[in-house]
Amino acid sequence: MTATDVLTGQLDLLTLLELQTLPTAPLHFTVGHYRPDELDAAYEYRAKSDGRMGVSNWSRQWNGNQTGRNVTAGSAHRTFTYGADLRCNEHWRNPDCQCMGDLLYRVYCHDCDWWGGIHENENQAVEDMLNHCWPGWQYRPVVTSAVKPNGGYKFNVPEDYPKEWQYPGAPVRTARTAMSGRHVPGRGPWGGYDVGVMEAGE
């Protein structure tokens, strides 16, 4: 390889770097109003240089990898749940770590172009969204459910369950036991959130 070839290769690389377009969303934690696709692009951009573990541990960026999306066809409110880890990198190996920071969550409604508040609990973030998108959800009857032999869930919805709450994307409230109270996106009988309600005494 000649000196000219090396120089040409360097110039080509510099040209590519100059032409590379940075994501719209910042490569760090933000409270700004960015769409999920913008946050995803920023997360993927940084993951290319830092790796998956690096971007999760150091960037503090919002990402939907550990949460979920509720995008049932026909739903009036397609939602995206995002998390950000603001804890230091000692939290998982040092139980006495006293650093500031926590896992944070927020939910975006695509159809309203609306972000909910930032919460330290995923269920709270989901309920914030439900209050905005599905007012009155907390007054719906609680139903029971069971795991089907071939996978999935069977919901025991009574005949008098409100018809106006039986359409694509609508949430359902299900009775749960301890340690199983997470609000699960897309698992409800109408493709909406399966909202966990702790049974009395739990």
Side-chain angles (χ1 to χ4, degrees), residues 67-103:
T67 47
R69 303 188 172 199
N70 195 47
V71 291
T72 300
S75 173
H77 300 285
R78 292 165 290 175
T79 60
F80 301 76
T81 304
Y82 277 72
D85 191 347
L86 302 190
R87 300 172 297 182
C88 80
N89 291 337
E90 290 293 319
H91 71 87
W92 58 273
R93 56 188 172 189
N94 181 3
D96 297 321
C97 176
Q98 298 296 314
C99 291
M100 298 293 289
D102 207 339
L103 289 170

PDB file of all heavy atoms in Angstrom, residues 67-103:
ATOM      1  N   THR A  67     -39.070  -2.454  28.705  1.00  0.00           N
ATOM      2  CA  THR A  67     -40.432  -2.089  29.100  1.00  0.00           C
ATOM      3  C   THR A  67     -41.442  -2.668  28.116  1.00  0.00           C
ATOM      4  O   THR A  67     -41.766  -3.830  28.184  1.00  0.00           O
ATOM      5  CB  THR A  67     -40.549  -0.564  29.215  1.00  0.00           C
ATOM      6  OG1 THR A  67     -39.959   0.047  28.056  1.00  0.00           O
ATOM      7  CG2 THR A  67     -39.803  -0.072  30.446  1.00  0.00           C
ATOM      8  N   GLY A  68     -41.961  -1.892  27.200  1.00  0.00           N
ATOM      9  CA  GLY A  68     -42.896  -2.468  26.252  1.00  0.00           C
ATOM     10  C   GLY A  68     -43.668  -1.446  25.452  1.00  0.00           C
ATOM     11  O   GLY A  68     -43.691  -0.260  25.769  1.00  0.00           O
ATOM     12  N   ARG A  69     -44.306  -1.951  24.407  1.00  0.00           N
ATOM     13  CA  ARG A  69     -45.115  -1.114  23.533  1.00  0.00           C
ATOM     14  C   ARG A  69     -46.516  -1.699  23.452  1.00  0.00           C
ATOM     15  O   ARG A  69     -46.701  -2.907  23.471  1.00  0.00           O
ATOM     16  CB  ARG A  69     -44.479  -1.032  22.146  1.00  0.00           C
ATOM     17  CG  ARG A  69     -43.061  -0.496  22.216  1.00  0.00           C
ATOM     18  CD  ARG A  69     -42.447  -0.217  20.873  1.00  0.00           C
ATOM     19  NE  ARG A  69     -41.169   0.467  21.071  1.00  0.00           N
ATOM     20  CZ  ARG A  69     -40.551   1.166  20.142  1.00  0.00           C
ATOM     21  NH1 ARG A  69     -41.086   1.281  18.937  1.00  0.00           N
ATOM     22  NH2 ARG A  69     -39.410   1.768  20.399  1.00  0.00           N
ATOM     23  N   ASN A  70     -47.478  -0.820  23.359  1.00  0.00           N
ATOM     24  CA  ASN A  70     -48.873  -1.226  23.298  1.00  0.00           C
ATOM     25  C   ASN A  70     -49.465  -0.605  22.035  1.00  0.00           C
ATOM     26  O   ASN A  70     -49.980   0.506  22.061  1.00  0.00           O
ATOM     27  CB  ASN A  70     -49.612  -0.741  24.552  1.00  0.00           C
ATOM     28  CG  ASN A  70     -50.946  -1.424  24.724  1.00  0.00           C
ATOM     29  OD1 ASN A  70     -51.050  -2.633  24.616  1.00  0.00           O
ATOM     30  ND2 ASN A  70     -51.977  -0.644  24.982  1.00  0.00           N
ATOM     31  N   VAL A  71     -49.316  -1.312  20.923  1.00  0.00           N
ATOM     32  CA  VAL A  71     -49.655  -0.728  19.622  1.00  0.00           C
ATOM     33  C   VAL A  71     -50.680  -1.589  18.879  1.00  0.00           C
ATOM     34  O   VAL A  71     -50.563  -1.835  17.686  1.00  0.00           O
ATOM     35  CB  VAL A  71     -48.389  -0.532  18.763  1.00  0.00           C
ATOM     36  CG1 VAL A  71     -47.519   0.568  19.344  1.00  0.00           C
ATOM     37  CG2 VAL A  71     -47.582  -1.829  18.664  1.00  0.00           C
ATOM     38  N   THR A  72     -51.700  -2.035  19.585  1.00  0.00           N
ATOM     39  CA  THR A  72     -52.741  -2.860  18.988  1.00  0.00           C
ATOM     40  C   THR A  72     -53.398  -2.146  17.804  1.00  0.00           C
ATOM     41  O   THR A  72     -53.742  -0.965  17.893  1.00  0.00           O
ATOM     42  CB  THR A  72     -53.816  -3.196  20.038  1.00  0.00           C
ATOM     43  OG1 THR A  72     -53.198  -3.910  21.108  1.00  0.00           O
ATOM     44  CG2 THR A  72     -54.933  -4.031  19.437  1.00  0.00           C
ATOM     45  N   ALA A  73     -53.574  -2.871  16.716  1.00  0.00           N
ATOM     46  CA  ALA A  73     -54.220  -2.296  15.533  1.00  0.00           C
ATOM     47  C   ALA A  73     -55.629  -1.827  15.878  1.00  0.00           C
ATOM     48  O   ALA A  73     -56.391  -2.544  16.527  1.00  0.00           O
ATOM     49  CB  ALA A  73     -54.275  -3.333  14.415  1.00  0.00           C
ATOM     50  N   GLY A  74     -55.960  -0.621  15.469  1.00  0.00           N
ATOM     51  CA  GLY A  74     -57.283  -0.077  15.723  1.00  0.00           C
ATOM     52  C   GLY A  74     -57.410   0.672  17.028  1.00  0.00           C
ATOM     53  O   GLY A  74     -58.446   1.286  17.303  1.00  0.00           O
ATOM     54  N   SER A  75     -56.362   0.648  17.847  1.00  0.00           N
ATOM     55  CA  SER A  75     -56.414   1.353  19.126  1.00  0.00           C
ATOM     56  C   SER A  75     -56.344   2.858  18.905  1.00  0.00           C
ATOM     57  O   SER A  75     -55.609   3.339  18.045  1.00  0.00           O
ATOM     58  CB  SER A  75     -55.259   0.915  20.025  1.00  0.00           C
ATOM     59  OG  SER A  75     -55.213   1.701  21.205  1.00  0.00           O
ATOM     60  N   ALA A  76     -57.101   3.584  19.709  1.00  0.00           N
ATOM     61  CA  ALA A  76     -57.074   5.046  19.621  1.00  0.00           C
ATOM     62  C   ALA A  76     -55.872   5.627  20.339  1.00  0.00           C
ATOM     63  O   ALA A  76     -55.573   6.814  20.190  1.00  0.00           O
ATOM     64  CB  ALA A  76     -58.361   5.618  20.221  1.00  0.00           C
ATOM     65  N   HIS A  77     -55.178   4.790  21.121  1.00  0.00           N
ATOM     66  CA  HIS A  77     -54.041   5.277  21.903  1.00  0.00           C
ATOM     67  C   HIS A  77     -52.923   4.237  21.886  1.00  0.00           C
ATOM     68  O   HIS A  77     -52.841   3.386  22.772  1.00  0.00           O
ATOM     69  CB  HIS A  77     -54.461   5.574  23.345  1.00  0.00           C
ATOM     70  CG  HIS A  77     -55.520   6.615  23.459  1.00  0.00           C
ATOM     71  ND1 HIS A  77     -55.269   7.963  23.280  1.00  0.00           N
ATOM     72  CD2 HIS A  77     -56.849   6.509  23.718  1.00  0.00           C
ATOM     73  CE1 HIS A  77     -56.391   8.646  23.432  1.00  0.00           C
ATOM     74  NE2 HIS A  77     -57.362   7.793  23.695  1.00  0.00           N
ATOM     75  N   ARG A  78     -52.063   4.323  20.880  1.00  0.00           N
ATOM     76  CA  ARG A  78     -50.899   3.438  20.816  1.00  0.00           C
ATOM     77  C   ARG A  78     -49.797   4.041  21.679  1.00  0.00           C
ATOM     78  O   ARG A  78     -49.432   5.203  21.505  1.00  0.00           O
ATOM     79  CB  ARG A  78     -50.442   3.287  19.367  1.00  0.00           C
ATOM     80  CG  ARG A  78     -51.431   2.513  18.499  1.00  0.00           C
ATOM     81  CD  ARG A  78     -51.134   2.685  17.032  1.00  0.00           C
ATOM     82  NE  ARG A  78     -51.441   4.050  16.598  1.00  0.00           N
ATOM     83  CZ  ARG A  78     -51.189   4.502  15.370  1.00  0.00           C
ATOM     84  NH1 ARG A  78     -50.610   3.717  14.483  1.00  0.00           N
ATOM     85  NH2 ARG A  78     -51.505   5.746  15.048  1.00  0.00           N
ATOM     86  N   THR A  79     -49.292   3.254  22.614  1.00  0.00           N
ATOM     87  CA  THR A  79     -48.366   3.805  23.606  1.00  0.00           C
ATOM     88  C   THR A  79     -47.020   3.090  23.612  1.00  0.00           C
ATOM     89  O   THR A  79     -46.911   1.919  23.253  1.00  0.00           O
ATOM     90  CB  THR A  79     -48.980   3.741  25.016  1.00  0.00           C
ATOM     91  OG1 THR A  79     -49.264   2.378  25.358  1.00  0.00           O
ATOM     92  CG2 THR A  79     -50.263   4.557  25.080  1.00  0.00           C
ATOM     93  N   PHE A  80     -46.008   3.826  24.073  1.00  0.00           N
ATOM     94  CA  PHE A  80     -44.637   3.341  24.143  1.00  0.00           C
ATOM     95  C   PHE A  80     -44.096   3.666  25.535  1.00  0.00           C
ATOM     96  O   PHE A  80     -44.088   4.833  25.932  1.00  0.00           O
ATOM     97  CB  PHE A  80     -43.770   4.026  23.086  1.00  0.00           C
ATOM     98  CG  PHE A  80     -44.251   3.829  21.674  1.00  0.00           C
ATOM     99  CD1 PHE A  80     -45.348   4.536  21.193  1.00  0.00           C
ATOM    100  CD2 PHE A  80     -43.610   2.937  20.835  1.00  0.00           C
ATOM    101  CE1 PHE A  80     -45.797   4.357  19.890  1.00  0.00           C
ATOM    102  CE2 PHE A  80     -44.049   2.754  19.525  1.00  0.00           C
ATOM    103  CZ  PHE A  80     -45.144   3.459  19.054  1.00  0.00           C
ATOM    104  N   THR A  81     -43.663   2.654  26.261  1.00  0.00           N
ATOM    105  CA  THR A  81     -43.121   2.855  27.603  1.00  0.00           C
ATOM    106  C   THR A  81     -41.598   2.839  27.543  1.00  0.00           C
ATOM    107  O   THR A  81     -41.007   1.918  26.974  1.00  0.00           O
ATOM    108  CB  THR A  81     -43.612   1.758  28.563  1.00  0.00           C
ATOM    109  OG1 THR A  81     -45.039   1.737  28.563  1.00  0.00           O
ATOM    110  CG2 THR A  81     -43.116   2.012  29.979  1.00  0.00           C
ATOM    111  N   TYR A  82     -40.978   3.851  28.139  1.00  0.00           N
ATOM    112  CA  TYR A  82     -39.522   3.980  28.113  1.00  0.00           C
ATOM    113  C   TYR A  82     -38.958   4.034  29.527  1.00  0.00           C
ATOM    114  O   TYR A  82     -39.594   4.560  30.442  1.00  0.00           O
ATOM    115  CB  TYR A  82     -39.107   5.241  27.347  1.00  0.00           C
ATOM    116  CG  TYR A  82     -39.067   5.020  25.857  1.00  0.00           C
ATOM    117  CD1 TYR A  82     -40.247   4.880  25.138  1.00  0.00           C
ATOM    118  CD2 TYR A  82     -37.860   4.895  25.182  1.00  0.00           C
ATOM    119  CE1 TYR A  82     -40.222   4.632  23.773  1.00  0.00           C
ATOM    120  CE2 TYR A  82     -37.823   4.653  23.820  1.00  0.00           C
ATOM    121  CZ  TYR A  82     -39.007   4.518  23.122  1.00  0.00           C
ATOM    122  OH  TYR A  82     -38.978   4.258  21.780  1.00  0.00           O
ATOM    123  N   GLY A  83     -37.750   3.497  29.668  1.00  0.00           N
ATOM    124  CA  GLY A  83     -37.061   3.534  30.945  1.00  0.00           C
ATOM    125  C   GLY A  83     -35.690   4.164  30.793  1.00  0.00           C
ATOM    126  O   GLY A  83     -35.101   4.155  29.707  1.00  0.00           O
ATOM    127  N   ALA A  84     -35.180   4.721  31.882  1.00  0.00           N
ATOM    128  CA  ALA A  84     -33.823   5.274  31.907  1.00  0.00           C
ATOM    129  C   ALA A  84     -33.195   4.895  33.243  1.00  0.00           C
ATOM    130  O   ALA A  84     -33.835   5.005  34.293  1.00  0.00           O
ATOM    131  CB  ALA A  84     -33.845   6.792  31.743  1.00  0.00           C
ATOM    132  N   ASP A  85     -31.959   4.432  33.196  1.00  0.00           N
ATOM    133  CA  ASP A  85     -31.261   3.994  34.405  1.00  0.00           C
ATOM    134  C   ASP A  85     -30.272   5.075  34.831  1.00  0.00           C
ATOM    135  O   ASP A  85     -29.238   5.265  34.199  1.00  0.00           O
ATOM    136  CB  ASP A  85     -30.527   2.682  34.119  1.00  0.00           C
ATOM    137  CG  ASP A  85     -30.005   2.023  35.388  1.00  0.00           C
ATOM    138  OD1 ASP A  85     -29.991   2.694  36.442  1.00  0.00           O
ATOM    139  OD2 ASP A  85     -29.613   0.849  35.324  1.00  0.00           O
ATOM    140  N   LEU A  86     -30.604   5.779  35.904  1.00  0.00           N
ATOM    141  CA  LEU A  86     -29.736   6.850  36.399  1.00  0.00           C
ATOM    142  C   LEU A  86     -28.873   6.405  37.574  1.00  0.00           C
ATOM    143  O   LEU A  86     -28.194   7.217  38.194  1.00  0.00           O
ATOM    144  CB  LEU A  86     -30.584   8.062  36.817  1.00  0.00           C
ATOM    145  CG  LEU A  86     -31.488   8.675  35.742  1.00  0.00           C
ATOM    146  CD1 LEU A  86     -32.065   9.993  36.239  1.00  0.00           C
ATOM    147  CD2 LEU A  86     -30.740   8.878  34.439  1.00  0.00           C
ATOM    148  N   ARG A  87     -28.900   5.099  37.876  1.00  0.00           N
ATOM    149  CA  ARG A  87     -28.080   4.597  38.973  1.00  0.00           C
ATOM    150  C   ARG A  87     -26.616   4.539  38.555  1.00  0.00           C
ATOM    151  O   ARG A  87     -26.296   4.433  37.375  1.00  0.00           O
ATOM    152  CB  ARG A  87     -28.552   3.204  39.381  1.00  0.00           C
ATOM    153  CG  ARG A  87     -30.000   3.160  39.842  1.00  0.00           C
ATOM    154  CD  ARG A  87     -30.480   1.743  40.040  1.00  0.00           C
ATOM    155  NE  ARG A  87     -30.468   0.992  38.788  1.00  0.00           N
ATOM    156  CZ  ARG A  87     -30.886  -0.266  38.671  1.00  0.00           C
ATOM    157  NH1 ARG A  87     -31.353  -0.904  39.734  1.00  0.00           N
ATOM    158  NH2 ARG A  87     -30.845  -0.887  37.502  1.00  0.00           N
ATOM    159  N   CYS A  88     -25.719   4.576  39.542  1.00  0.00           N
ATOM    160  CA  CYS A  88     -24.305   4.434  39.218  1.00  0.00           C
ATOM    161  C   CYS A  88     -24.017   2.965  38.923  1.00  0.00           C
ATOM    162  O   CYS A  88     -24.844   2.087  39.183  1.00  0.00           O
ATOM    163  CB  CYS A  88     -23.424   4.950  40.351  1.00  0.00           C
ATOM    164  SG  CYS A  88     -23.221   3.786  41.716  1.00  0.00           S
ATOM    165  N   ASN A  89     -22.842   2.686  38.419  1.00  0.00           N
ATOM    166  CA  ASN A  89     -22.527   1.319  38.011  1.00  0.00           C
ATOM    167  C   ASN A  89     -22.128   0.414  39.169  1.00  0.00           C
ATOM    168  O   ASN A  89     -21.736  -0.734  38.953  1.00  0.00           O
ATOM    169  CB  ASN A  89     -21.412   1.340  36.961  1.00  0.00           C
ATOM    170  CG  ASN A  89     -21.903   1.924  35.653  1.00  0.00           C
ATOM    171  OD1 ASN A  89     -23.096   1.910  35.378  1.00  0.00           O
ATOM    172  ND2 ASN A  89     -21.002   2.460  34.852  1.00  0.00           N
ATOM    173  N   GLU A  90     -22.209   0.921  40.393  1.00  0.00           N
ATOM    174  CA  GLU A  90     -21.900   0.099  41.554  1.00  0.00           C
ATOM    175  C   GLU A  90     -23.154  -0.527  42.158  1.00  0.00           C
ATOM    176  O   GLU A  90     -23.064  -1.404  43.003  1.00  0.00           O
ATOM    177  CB  GLU A  90     -21.207   0.949  42.630  1.00  0.00           C
ATOM    178  CG  GLU A  90     -19.798   1.388  42.267  1.00  0.00           C
ATOM    179  CD  GLU A  90     -18.835   0.214  42.202  1.00  0.00           C
ATOM    180  OE1 GLU A  90     -18.913  -0.670  43.079  1.00  0.00           O
ATOM    181  OE2 GLU A  90     -18.019   0.168  41.263  1.00  0.00           O
ATOM    182  N   HIS A  91     -24.334  -0.070  41.719  1.00  0.00           N
ATOM    183  CA  HIS A  91     -25.565  -0.446  42.409  1.00  0.00           C
ATOM    184  C   HIS A  91     -25.804  -1.949  42.415  1.00  0.00           C
ATOM    185  O   HIS A  91     -26.354  -2.496  43.366  1.00  0.00           O
ATOM    186  CB  HIS A  91     -26.764   0.265  41.769  1.00  0.00           C
ATOM    187  CG  HIS A  91     -27.116  -0.246  40.411  1.00  0.00           C
ATOM    188  ND1 HIS A  91     -27.957  -1.312  40.219  1.00  0.00           N
ATOM    189  CD2 HIS A  91     -26.716   0.159  39.179  1.00  0.00           C
ATOM    190  CE1 HIS A  91     -28.072  -1.546  38.918  1.00  0.00           C
ATOM    191  NE2 HIS A  91     -27.337  -0.671  38.274  1.00  0.00           N
ATOM    192  N   TRP A  92     -25.375  -2.648  41.359  1.00  0.00           N
ATOM    193  CA  TRP A  92     -25.681  -4.067  41.247  1.00  0.00           C
ATOM    194  C   TRP A  92     -24.688  -4.958  41.983  1.00  0.00           C
ATOM    195  O   TRP A  92     -24.947  -6.126  42.221  1.00  0.00           O
ATOM    196  CB  TRP A  92     -25.742  -4.473  39.775  1.00  0.00           C
ATOM    197  CG  TRP A  92     -24.483  -4.194  39.012  1.00  0.00           C
ATOM    198  CD1 TRP A  92     -24.156  -3.031  38.382  1.00  0.00           C
ATOM    199  CD2 TRP A  92     -23.387  -5.083  38.790  1.00  0.00           C
ATOM    200  NE1 TRP A  92     -22.929  -3.127  37.789  1.00  0.00           N
ATOM    201  CE2 TRP A  92     -22.432  -4.379  38.012  1.00  0.00           C
ATOM    202  CE3 TRP A  92     -23.109  -6.395  39.160  1.00  0.00           C
ATOM    203  CZ2 TRP A  92     -21.226  -4.951  37.617  1.00  0.00           C
ATOM    204  CZ3 TRP A  92     -21.914  -6.966  38.761  1.00  0.00           C
ATOM    205  CH2 TRP A  92     -20.983  -6.250  37.997  1.00  0.00           C
ATOM    206  N   ARG A  93     -23.517  -4.414  42.361  1.00  0.00           N
ATOM    207  CA  ARG A  93     -22.537  -5.242  43.069  1.00  0.00           C
ATOM    208  C   ARG A  93     -22.234  -4.738  44.475  1.00  0.00           C
ATOM    209  O   ARG A  93     -21.532  -5.401  45.227  1.00  0.00           O
ATOM    210  CB  ARG A  93     -21.245  -5.322  42.265  1.00  0.00           C
ATOM    211  CG  ARG A  93     -20.612  -3.982  41.918  1.00  0.00           C
ATOM    212  CD  ARG A  93     -19.443  -4.169  40.960  1.00  0.00           C
ATOM    213  NE  ARG A  93     -18.938  -2.900  40.459  1.00  0.00           N
ATOM    214  CZ  ARG A  93     -18.044  -2.800  39.481  1.00  0.00           C
ATOM    215  NH1 ARG A  93     -17.565  -3.892  38.919  1.00  0.00           N
ATOM    216  NH2 ARG A  93     -17.635  -1.618  39.060  1.00  0.00           N
ATOM    217  N   ASN A  94     -22.748  -3.576  44.808  1.00  0.00           N
ATOM    218  CA  ASN A  94     -22.509  -3.021  46.134  1.00  0.00           C
ATOM    219  C   ASN A  94     -23.846  -2.614  46.754  1.00  0.00           C
ATOM    220  O   ASN A  94     -24.360  -1.531  46.484  1.00  0.00           O
ATOM    221  CB  ASN A  94     -21.576  -1.810  46.043  1.00  0.00           C
ATOM    222  CG  ASN A  94     -21.284  -1.202  47.409  1.00  0.00           C
ATOM    223  OD1 ASN A  94     -21.732  -1.719  48.441  1.00  0.00           O
ATOM    224  ND2 ASN A  94     -20.554  -0.102  47.418  1.00  0.00           N
ATOM    225  N   PRO A  95     -24.436  -3.467  47.587  1.00  0.00           N
ATOM    226  CA  PRO A  95     -25.759  -3.165  48.169  1.00  0.00           C
ATOM    227  C   PRO A  95     -25.760  -1.940  49.070  1.00  0.00           C
ATOM    228  O   PRO A  95     -26.821  -1.404  49.381  1.00  0.00           O
ATOM    229  CB  PRO A  95     -26.088  -4.441  48.952  1.00  0.00           C
ATOM    230  CG  PRO A  95     -24.759  -5.065  49.245  1.00  0.00           C
ATOM    231  CD  PRO A  95     -23.903  -4.758  48.055  1.00  0.00           C
ATOM    232  N   ASP A  96     -24.577  -1.486  49.485  1.00  0.00           N
ATOM    233  CA  ASP A  96     -24.498  -0.319  50.359  1.00  0.00           C
ATOM    234  C   ASP A  96     -24.317   0.986  49.589  1.00  0.00           C
ATOM    235  O   ASP A  96     -24.137   2.046  50.183  1.00  0.00           O
ATOM    236  CB  ASP A  96     -23.329  -0.480  51.341  1.00  0.00           C
ATOM    237  CG  ASP A  96     -23.528  -1.667  52.269  1.00  0.00           C
ATOM    238  OD1 ASP A  96     -24.680  -1.884  52.697  1.00  0.00           O
ATOM    239  OD2 ASP A  96     -22.547  -2.374  52.552  1.00  0.00           O
ATOM    240  N   CYS A  97     -24.365   0.905  48.265  1.00  0.00           N
ATOM    241  CA  CYS A  97     -24.187   2.107  47.446  1.00  0.00           C
ATOM    242  C   CYS A  97     -25.263   3.135  47.786  1.00  0.00           C
ATOM    243  O   CYS A  97     -26.454   2.824  47.818  1.00  0.00           O
ATOM    244  CB  CYS A  97     -24.254   1.747  45.969  1.00  0.00           C
ATOM    245  SG  CYS A  97     -24.168   3.173  44.871  1.00  0.00           S
ATOM    246  N   GLN A  98     -24.847   4.378  48.045  1.00  0.00           N
ATOM    247  CA  GLN A  98     -25.770   5.447  48.422  1.00  0.00           C
ATOM    248  C   GLN A  98     -25.857   6.542  47.352  1.00  0.00           C
ATOM    249  O   GLN A  98     -26.315   7.648  47.629  1.00  0.00           O
ATOM    250  CB  GLN A  98     -25.319   6.067  49.753  1.00  0.00           C
ATOM    251  CG  GLN A  98     -25.322   5.101  50.924  1.00  0.00           C
ATOM    252  CD  GLN A  98     -26.719   4.614  51.250  1.00  0.00           C
ATOM    253  OE1 GLN A  98     -27.653   5.405  51.319  1.00  0.00           O
ATOM    254  NE2 GLN A  98     -26.872   3.309  51.430  1.00  0.00           N
ATOM    255  N   CYS A  99     -25.414   6.232  46.149  1.00  0.00           N
ATOM    256  CA  CYS A  99     -25.442   7.238  45.087  1.00  0.00           C
ATOM    257  C   CYS A  99     -26.869   7.653  44.756  1.00  0.00           C
ATOM    258  O   CYS A  99     -27.802   6.863  44.865  1.00  0.00           O
ATOM    259  CB  CYS A  99     -24.780   6.693  43.817  1.00  0.00           C
ATOM    260  SG  CYS A  99     -23.000   6.478  43.967  1.00  0.00           S
ATOM    261  N   MET A 100     -27.008   8.896  44.354  1.00  0.00           N
ATOM    262  CA  MET A 100     -28.301   9.371  43.887  1.00  0.00           C
ATOM    263  C   MET A 100     -28.606   8.705  42.546  1.00  0.00           C
ATOM    264  O   MET A 100     -27.719   8.325  41.803  1.00  0.00           O
ATOM    265  CB  MET A 100     -28.276  10.890  43.709  1.00  0.00           C
ATOM    266  CG  MET A 100     -28.021  11.654  44.990  1.00  0.00           C
ATOM    267  SD  MET A 100     -29.374  11.481  46.165  1.00  0.00           S
ATOM    268  CE  MET A 100     -30.627  12.465  45.334  1.00  0.00           C
ATOM    269  N   GLY A 101     -29.873   8.579  42.237  1.00  0.00           N
ATOM    270  CA  GLY A 101     -30.245   8.016  40.947  1.00  0.00           C
ATOM    271  C   GLY A 101     -31.151   6.815  41.116  1.00  0.00           C
ATOM    272  O   GLY A 101     -31.128   6.131  42.140  1.00  0.00           O
ATOM    273  N   ASP A 102     -31.951   6.553  40.105  1.00  0.00           N
ATOM    274  CA  ASP A 102     -32.901   5.453  40.185  1.00  0.00           C
ATOM    275  C   ASP A 102     -33.308   5.063  38.773  1.00  0.00           C
ATOM    276  O   ASP A 102     -32.916   5.695  37.796  1.00  0.00           O
ATOM    277  CB  ASP A 102     -34.135   5.894  40.979  1.00  0.00           C
ATOM    278  CG  ASP A 102     -34.841   4.725  41.652  1.00  0.00           C
ATOM    279  OD1 ASP A 102     -34.630   3.578  41.204  1.00  0.00           O
ATOM    280  OD2 ASP A 102     -35.586   4.951  42.609  1.00  0.00           O
ATOM    281  N   LEU A 103     -34.089   4.007  38.689  1.00  0.00           N
ATOM    282  CA  LEU A 103     -34.717   3.650  37.424  1.00  0.00           C
ATOM    283  C   LEU A 103     -35.926   4.558  37.240  1.00  0.00           C
ATOM    284  O   LEU A 103     -36.743   4.699  38.154  1.00  0.00           O
ATOM    285  CB  LEU A 103     -35.163   2.187  37.447  1.00  0.00           C
ATOM    286  CG  LEU A 103     -34.066   1.130  37.399  1.00  0.00           C
ATOM    287  CD1 LEU A 103     -34.659  -0.245  37.665  1.00  0.00           C
ATOM    288  CD2 LEU A 103     -33.372   1.141  36.049  1.00  0.00           C
TER     289      LEU A 103
END
